[in-house]
Amino acid sequence: MTSVTSAPVPARVVLNQADIDRALTRIAHEILEANKGSKDLVLLGIPRRGYPLAVRLARKIAAADPTVDAAAIVGQLDVTMFRDDLSHQPTRPPYPTQLPRTGIDNKVVVLIDDVLYSGRTIRAALDAIIDLGRPRIVRLAVLIDRGHRELPIRADHVGKNLPTSSAEKVRVRLEETDTAPDGSTVNEVVIEGGA
C-alpha cells in the first residue's frame, strides 16, 4: 500500500507593498481622529516588525499633521522578559526598549505590532508598559488581525482582518527586517501552510 502525500501549499500574498502602505495611511488617520489630533501621542513598536511599522506610521502622522516630529513620538518596547510563554518560544535576544524623550506618563500610547494572534504578546506589552510609567490611555494598532485569541484583547486599529486556520502561518515581510530569497527588498504579507 502506498501513501499519498500532498504537496505543500505555496505561500500566497494577501497584501503587497501598496496594500500595506494604504493600510498604514488609514491607520494613521484613525489614530489622529481617535486622539483628536497629535497631542500627547506616543507610538511604541514591538520588535521585530512592530517597530518599523511604528516608524512608518509616525511619518504618515507627521505628513498629516506638520506640527508632529515623527522621530520624537516613536519608541520601541521589548516584551521578551514579560512573556508567559518563554519556555514554548525559540530563544531570541531581547531588543532595547527605547522610549521617546518625553516618556509615556500621561500620554496616549499606541502599541504597534504586525500580527495580532493569541494576544499574549500584547498582554506582555501591557505588563512592560506598567513597569515604565503610567500612560493616560493605551491603544493597539496592528497590520493584521488573524483571530484565534486566547486572551480578551482586541485591536483599536486594524490594517486587515484576515481569518485564518490555526494550521496557517501569517508572515509579514518588511524591507527593514527581511529580504526575499533573491536578496531583494520585500514588503508583503503572506499566508503559508494550511490545506
Side-chain angles (χ1 to χ4, degrees), residues 3-10 194-195:
S3 66
V4 177
T5 58
S6 59
V9 176

Side-chain angles (χ1 to χ4, degrees), residues 104-174:
I104 63 170
D105 286 333
N106 205 33
K107 302 289 185 188
V108 176
V109 172
V110 182
L111 292 172
I112 315 290
D113 206 4
D114 57 347
V115 178
L116 178 56
Y117 183 40
S118 68
R120 294 190 180 277
T121 298
I122 304 309
R123 188 219 44 88
L126 293 170
D127 285 349
I129 284 175
I130 289 168
D131 266 12
L132 297 170
R134 190 175 192 281
R136 186 169 74 243
I137 299 171
V138 178
R139 294 193 175 111
L140 174 61
V142 296
L143 182 59
I144 302 293
D145 184 344
R146 64 171 291 191
H148 303 282
R149 216 75 75 243
E150 296 172 4
L151 298 170
I153 290 173
R154 67 166 179 80
D156 300 284
H157 311 287
V158 177
K160 183 168 182 68
N161 285 296
L162 194 59
T164 58
S165 80
S166 55
E168 294 173 312
K169 294 194 182 316
V170 175
R171 303 274 189 222
V172 175
R173 298 177 180 153
L174 303 175

Side-chain angles (χ1 to χ4, degrees), residues 5-132:
T5 58
S6 59
V9 176
R12 65 187 195 276
V13 176
V14 291
L15 292 178
N16 61 28
Q17 181 169 346
D19 298 327
I20 292 171
D21 190 59
R22 272 191 302 276
L24 292 177
T25 299
R26 183 173 39 78
I27 290 171
H29 286 280
E30 287 177 5
I31 289 170
L32 284 170
E33 187 175 330
N35 195 51
K36 295 179 176 50
S38 59
K39 187 175 186 316
D40 294 330
L41 189 62
V42 171
L43 306 181
L44 289 183
I46 299 172
R48 280 190 68 218
R49 290 165 191 86
Y51 177 68
L53 290 173
V55 170
R56 292 183 189 190
L57 279 169
R59 287 188 199 127
K60 289 183 178 296
I61 287 169
D65 181 349
T67 66
V68 173
D69 175 1
I73 65 168
V74 177
Q76 177 170 268
L77 180 68
D78 184 70
V79 302
T80 304
M81 301 315 294
F82 293 89
R83 294 192 64 96
D84 64 358
D85 57 357
L86 278 176
S87 62
H88 305 292
Q89 298 290 323
T91 304
R92 70 176 182 120
Y95 290 83
T97 290
Q98 300 167 327
L99 297 181
R101 182 183 48 78
T102 57
I104 63 170
D105 286 333
N106 205 33
K107 302 289 185 188
V108 176
V109 172
V110 182
L111 292 172
I112 315 290
D113 206 4
D114 57 347
V115 178
L116 178 56
Y117 183 40
S118 68
R120 294 190 180 277
T121 298
I122 304 309
R123 188 219 44 88
L126 293 170
D127 285 349
I129 284 175
I130 289 168
D131 266 12
L132 297 170

